[in-house]
């Protein structure tokens, strides 16, 4: 959580030398001061190719791992519990050379999730990102379900039991209707 509270340049530099990213060839190229987006690049090297000589699927998936959670943590803060809950990846085309993914969250998304979680209910929200090659062709599409709940404690300091919020699905970042939450 402390890293998420740091300046974007510190977060970017720290994550770029973080072993799971550094040893996979993953590099954050852009993380604006408002933490509303992030751009990540994967350069193909001998150590991140699969047996067919194209980008290893695990590296493609790894380049998308922490970003939705990180963007939400920055905006919802430490009074919320935020975790990745589920994920799916669809490989559409062999990844060759350099590929990138751009994550973007809107103020409306943040406020909708904050409102749904304000009473301590859990919120399950799907986000989608396309991994594209240098020509702009989609190599893979990754969907992540993020769990969000506002921390709520009873008088004894023990977490109270909470329900599940029903949040209408929002379109994912590719414009497709979202999956129902739940």
């Amino acid at each position: 959580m402390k890293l998420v509270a740091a300046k974007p340049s510190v977060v970017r530099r720290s994550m770029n030398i973080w072993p799971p990213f550094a040893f996979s060839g993953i590099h954050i190229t852009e993380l604006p001061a408002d933490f509303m987006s992030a751009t990540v690049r994967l350069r193909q090297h001998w150590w991140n190719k699969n047996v067919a000589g194209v980008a290893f699927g695990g590296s493609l998936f790894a380049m998308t791992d922490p970003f939705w959670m990180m963007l939400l943590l920055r905006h919802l803060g430490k009074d919320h519990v935020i975790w990745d809950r589920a994920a799916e990846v669809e490989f559409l085309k062999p990844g060759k050379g350099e590929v990138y993914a751009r994550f973007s969250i809107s103020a409306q998304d943040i406020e909708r999730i904050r409102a749904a979680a304000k009473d301590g209910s859990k919120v399950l929200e799907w986000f989608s990102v396309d991994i594209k090659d240098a020509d702009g062709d989609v190599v893979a599409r990754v969907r992540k379900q993020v769990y969000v709940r506002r921390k709520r404690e009873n008088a004894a300091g023990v977490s109270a039991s909470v329900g599940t919020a029903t949040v209408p699905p929002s379109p994912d970042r590719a414009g497709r209707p979202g999956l129902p939450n739940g």
Side-chain angles (χ1 to χ4, degrees):
M1 179 66 119
K2 291 180 183 178
L3 184 60
V4 175
K7 292 180 182 179
S9 60
V10 172
V11 173
R12 185 177 49 79
R13 283 193 309 267
S14 298
M15 289 184 72
N16 284 341
I17 62 170
W18 183 44
F21 276 14
F23 295 135
S24 295
I26 299 166
H27 187 83
I28 301 170
T29 60
E30 179 188 10
L31 185 61
D34 65 2
F35 271 77
M36 297 297 281
S37 64
T39 304
V40 182
R41 173 189 75 217
L42 172 67
R43 283 195 177 142
Q44 192 170 5
H45 298 284
W46 66 267
W47 63 81
N48 63 11
K49 289 182 185 181
N50 66 18
V51 296
V54 297
F56 175 62
S59 295
L60 291 170
F61 186 72
M63 72 185 283
T64 68
D65 188 28
F67 293 99
W68 296 117
M69 184 176 75
M70 183 177 75
L71 297 176
L72 286 170
L73 276 168
R74 183 62 170 231
H75 292 283
L76 297 177
K78 61 185 175 184
D79 58 338
H80 287 79
V81 175
I82 303 169
W83 290 103
D84 288 336
R85 183 172 184 270
E88 42 184 68
V89 60
E90 180 182 12
F91 299 106
L92 302 170
K93 176 182 171 183
K96 297 178 182 176
E98 186 171 294
V99 296
Y100 65 93
R102 178 158 173 78
F103 304 83
S104 181
I105 193 163
S106 71
Q108 293 83 7
D109 289 334
I110 294 164
E111 290 313 310
R112 180 175 42 77
I113 293 168
R114 184 189 315 276
K118 74 179 178 184
D119 67 352
S121 295
K122 90 176 165 182
V123 177
L124 302 174
E125 182 74 19
W126 282 97
F127 293 94
S128 180
V129 65
D130 289 341
I131 300 172
K132 298 180 179 181
D133 63 16
D135 295 329
D137 294 334
V138 178
V139 170
R141 180 163 294 126
V142 177
R143 288 177 26 99
K144 304 271 309 246
Q145 186 183 51
V146 180
Y147 167 100
V148 178
R149 182 181 56 79
R150 184 173 174 85
K151 292 179 184 175
R152 196 168 82 173
E153 296 185 352
N154 64 22
V158 179
S159 293
S161 154
V162 295
T164 301
T166 302
V167 178
S170 62
D172 65 18
R173 301 303 168 260
R176 297 181 317 253
L179 292 179
N181 295 327

